[in-house]
Amino acid sequence: MEIERIIETAEEDRLVDKSALIRKNILHYISNAQSGHPGSSLSIVELLVTLYHKEMNIDPSKPKMDSRDRFILSKGHGVMALYCVLADKGYYSGKEIESFRQYGSLCQGHPEIGLPGIEACSGSLGQGLSIASGMALNSKIRHASYRVFVLMGDGEINEGQIWEAASFASKYKLDNLVGIVDRNRMQHDGFCDEIMPFDSIKDKFESFGWSVYSCDGHSYRSICATFKDIRLDESDKPKILVADTVKGKGVKAYENTLKSHSVFGNINEDVLSSLYVVRGGNND
Amino acid sequence: MNHQYIDSLIDLGNKDSRIIAVDSDLGTSARTPQFKERFPNRYINCGIAEQNMVGVASGLAYEGNVPFAHSIASFMMRRCYDQLYQAVAIPNLNVIVIGVYAGLNGQDGNSHQSINDIALATALPNFTVVAPANSYEVSKLISQLVDVGPTYLRLSREHIRLPLDEEYEVKLGNFSRLKKGNDLALLSTGSMVNHTLMLSDKLSEKNIDASVYSVHTLSPFDNEELNRIREDTEKIVTLEEHLVDSGLGSKVVNSLEVPTRVCKIGLKNKLLGSAPLNTLLKRAGITINENLKIIEEYLNK
């Protein structure tokens, strides 16, 4: 079944090229720092590019404008993708990322406020949905109209606090809250299905009172169409988007591997040369 | 004290619309329903979910609100410690967390005791830690807590009243001197201040003249005043309803610039189980007679 063409081919090509650039930068800066989480960053590239280029109401020249949409990276170890997307968008110069994980850097190993565009500190998993709920709740209390997006990992949702927040968001009718699960099917020690099976994520969130959606997390057509459906959703429920992704996507030597989770030392040439341009989403 | 706390919070809420009260289904312990009645749009009950409550408070604080989050001290500090660290301490947010019924909780038993919360709170980065002695100190301190960043407010049980002859200065970060004496200094915090004043009266009857200080601010700690006290006397006694080796006593020992033999009165790290409060205090050695003996022995050495 053909997904309604939400974006033009030329625009899709532009975003595909942008993703390729972001992926190249992710590898460069992690290798430069000799430390980081490439796999978890590579799986969220299309999602972040869509949010910052198509979906969110933002202005890089006004990172604190009251009406902006907020984004929280709850799976904070995927931060290199966020640093690269924010720099490319113009929040700050890419030079800042050269000091990733070095003493005094604004580009800390996990997100911290202080760097323009970073809305919340994260790193300890399971907490971002609660923080995002607090931000979304604020807009209800203060009669503002921004949306809050929060990106979680599918291992991260093992944490009980995620489900505390899920109950909370439903009770307080946080219809301006959009949770996204990076469903790359892997966590630190192994495949999610081995470590802590969580099928079906959609059913679980639905039972907590959320409106549920899914998409191909590497296809701009699919992501954009789904975000449009989410925008048109008039229910008073919070929304969850389960995005099917691949850990390490875009780097053949990393795809679906545990070793892509964290690296120490330079990334070697074999891995770097396996970088390719992702065009067809999960069918690529 | 809890009753006065809520009056103070409501007062604050009247003056500052950024104040939001957040609860984890134990609000009646801190009387937060009264805040809800006054400000229905600025009261959020998160249910029995302390970790989420702290995260929600954090989100509200990132947006410029000043949330006061409530639970019983045992759960406020232990149940969501990593959340206090990640979501409040690291970003240095204006979130005030309140632990009520701190100390020996009595008949609820071991699960509800909170005798290590000062140790835990003072080990969090960026946290101000406050244990007011009475409702007067609460009313004076609360407005001083609003824009100082992460704060833990340790409240004890309600029935402690301080017979107040006159108002005294209560400044965040400084000791409050309640009584001046030349022979020794009694430094106490929170629920033990009342007990300490009674001790000083008994000491007076024996012609021992003690100063009494309420150390309501455990962090940041008033090192300057402590060392000034040490210049006046080398006899320093600390009293707390908390583990004796990781609260006020240990802070005093570590902060003295001159080697001093400090007499520390407090709780051992021992599970005492359920009992009426007075029984627990007795079992823990916190009685006027016991403490008098300890102090006299200390003075005679």
Side-chain angles (χ1 to χ4, degrees), chain B residues 51-211:
Chain B
Q51 299 183 356
N52 180 61
M53 175 179 69
V54 171
V56 167
S58 165
L60 290 169
Y62 274 115
E63 297 291 348
N65 300 292
V66 182
F68 282 66
H70 303 81
S71 185
I72 287 178
S74 52
F75 311 134
M76 190 71 256
M77 197 41 62
R78 297 196 294 259
R79 189 72 185 231
C80 44
Y81 196 64
D82 189 46
Q83 285 71 18
L84 293 172
Y85 183 83
Q86 170 72 69
V88 177
I90 291 178
N92 202 19
L93 294 172
N94 288 323
V95 175
I96 296 95
V97 300
I98 292 92
V100 302
Y101 295 128
L104 289 168
N105 218 309
Q107 290 174 292
D108 277 340
N110 293 324
S111 52
H112 286 54
Q113 310 295 16
S114 186
I115 62 173
N116 63 359
D117 51 315
I118 294 174
L120 292 168
T122 51
L124 288 166
N126 294 324
F127 258 78
T128 295
V129 179
V130 179
N134 50 59
S135 47
Y136 170 72
E137 289 190 3
V138 171
S139 69
K140 290 290 172 194
L141 284 166
I142 201 169
S143 57
Q144 300 179 59
L145 302 180
V146 168
D147 284 305
V148 295
T151 303
Y152 174 54
L153 178 60
R154 182 190 213 231
L155 298 182
S156 299
R157 51 203 167 276
E158 277 191 271
H159 58 272
I160 293 179
R161 294 279 180 268
L162 181 66
L164 211 55
D165 290 337
E166 56 183 48
E167 298 203 340
Y168 57 91
E169 198 182 8
V170 181
K171 202 162 152 239
L172 183 68
N174 294 138
F175 298 171
S176 287
R177 192 179 67 198
L178 305 181
K179 209 165 151 214
K180 189 166 178 3
N182 296 319
D183 298 335
L184 75 155
L186 303 174
L187 272 53
S188 182
T189 189
S191 54
M192 285 288 276
V193 172
N194 206 30
H195 175 92
T196 306
L197 278 168
M198 291 195 282
L199 272 175
S200 76
D201 287 342
K202 290 281 181 198
L203 287 167
S204 290
E205 288 169 18
K206 301 178 182 229
N207 286 322
I208 300 170
D209 188 32
S211 294

Side-chain angles (χ1 to χ4, degrees), chain A residues 70 124 130 138 142 172, chain B residues 45 52 62-63 65 82-83:
Chain A
R70 280 83 161 139
S124 173
S130 299
N138 176 71
R142 306 297 178 189
Y172 284 97
Chain B
N45 201 327
N52 180 61
Y62 274 115
E63 297 291 348
N65 300 292
D82 189 46
Q83 285 71 18

Side-chain angles (χ1 to χ4, degrees), chain A residues 35 39 113 115 119 145 161 172 174 177 208 228 247 253 275:
Chain A
S35 168
I113 51 175
L115 182 67
E119 298 283 5
S145 60
Q161 187 185 345
Y172 284 97
L174 302 179
L177 178 65
F208 275 73
K228 183 184 175 193
K247 190 154 184 162
L275 178 67

Side-chain angles (χ1 to χ4, degrees), chain A residues 22-206:
Chain A
I22 299 293
R23 286 194 162 96
K24 185 154 158 269
N25 288 339
I26 287 172
L27 292 182
H28 165 79
Y29 288 118
I30 287 178
S31 191
N32 187 52
Q34 301 197 34
S35 168
H37 298 87
S40 314
S41 305
L42 291 164
S43 62
I44 60 176
V45 171
E46 282 80 8
L47 290 166
L48 288 178
V49 170
T50 307
L51 283 169
Y52 281 91
H53 288 266
K54 309 297 293 176
E55 191 62 22
M56 282 170 50
N57 174 32
I58 46 142
D59 180 350
S61 69
K62 296 191 202 121
K64 289 274 170 208
M65 79 180 179
D66 284 342
S67 58
R68 73 193 187 283
D69 287 337
R70 280 83 161 139
F71 172 74
I72 293 182
L73 184 63
S74 187
K75 49 164 275 179
H77 53 287
V79 71
M80 182 49 77
L82 182 59
Y83 288 154
C84 291
V85 166
L86 289 175
D88 175 75
K89 193 68 189 164
Y91 280 83
Y92 47 82
S93 155
K95 265 207 253 86
E96 290 291 347
I97 319 179
E98 296 286 351
S99 64
F100 176 59
R101 292 187 162 217
Q102 302 311 309
Y103 185 78
S105 174
L106 287 176
C107 292
Q108 292 283 293
H110 289 76
E112 290 207 8
I113 51 175
L115 182 67
I118 301 292
E119 298 283 5
C121 300
S122 58
S124 173
L125 295 175
Q127 302 201 24
L129 191 59
S130 299
I131 299 170
S133 297
M135 292 181 174
L137 180 69
N138 176 71
S139 92
K140 301 295 181 193
I141 295 174
R142 306 297 178 189
H143 310 292
S145 60
Y146 56 80
R147 292 199 292 168
V148 184
F149 295 83
V150 53
L151 181 49
M152 298 163 270
D154 56 349
E156 179 178 17
I157 62 172
N158 294 170
E159 288 282 4
Q161 187 185 345
I162 293 287
W163 304 99
E164 293 181 11
S167 300
F168 179 90
S170 173
K171 178 209 150 79
Y172 284 97
K173 299 188 182 354
L174 302 179
D175 56 2
N176 57 335
L177 178 65
V178 181
I180 305 164
V181 179
D182 172 30
R183 184 70 163 133
N184 63 24
R185 300 190 180 267
M186 299 187 77
Q187 47 194 100
H188 185 280
D189 281 357
F191 286 88
C192 295
D193 282 349
E194 288 167 3
I195 303 294
M196 190 52 61
F198 242 81
D199 278 330
S200 137
I201 299 177
K202 272 170 83 174
D203 286 351
K204 285 181 163 61
F205 273 98
E206 192 163 42

